[in-house]
Amino acid sequence: MSTRQYALRRSVPLAAIGSLAAILSACVSAPPAPEQMSRTKVETAPADLQLLCSNAVAKANDVDATKILPVSSSKLDSNTYQVEVDASSKKTSCIVDAEGNVKSIQPA
């Protein structure tokens, strides 16, 4: 095989791979803007309020606090948060205000 034939055989697959890469890169969309991401649309309770709810649920259910896990939280209004906790596979909802006053503990 001549050097020219070898170079031609080698350049054809490389060109095909390059074309395929260009086509695939055109299919990838840009990530959404931060204000369009779902995580930025929901305000979660601060960590200290989640911990406060976890401890309140542990005390109310007479369960070891190390067995309580906050699983989700959301802001209900300008001063109130709802924290969902898992107390040994028992789901519980806790409402707490921004000052750290637990308003209610209910089974979820």
Side-chain angles (χ1 to χ4, degrees):
M1 177 182 314
S2 72
T3 305
R4 183 175 178 185
Q5 286 175 328
Y6 176 75
L8 183 60
R9 278 187 166 192
R10 185 176 167 106
S11 66
V12 171
L14 290 178
I17 291 171
S19 297
L20 181 61
I23 291 168
L24 290 176
S25 68
C27 295
V28 176
S29 62
E35 65 274 2
Q36 293 178 338
M37 294 179 155
S38 64
R39 179 76 173 146
T40 59
K41 294 195 183 281
V42 176
E43 190 172 335
T44 60
D48 60 333
L49 296 180
Q50 292 184 39
L51 182 59
L52 187 87
C53 270
S54 295
N55 289 331
V57 169
K59 189 179 226 181
N61 292 309
D62 197 29
V63 177
D64 180 11
T66 62
K67 304 291 184 197
I68 308 293
L69 178 67
V71 292
S72 69
S73 67
S74 60
K75 190 170 191 173
L76 298 177
D77 60 35
S78 63
N79 193 45
T80 311
Y81 296 92
Q82 179 174 3
V83 179
E84 302 291 329
V85 299
D86 183 336
S88 300
S89 299
K90 180 180 173 188
K91 305 293 185 206
T92 305
S93 177
C94 172
I95 306 295
V96 62
D97 67 17
E99 287 78 38
N101 301 307
V102 176
K103 300 295 185 181
S104 73
I105 297 173
Q106 300 288 330

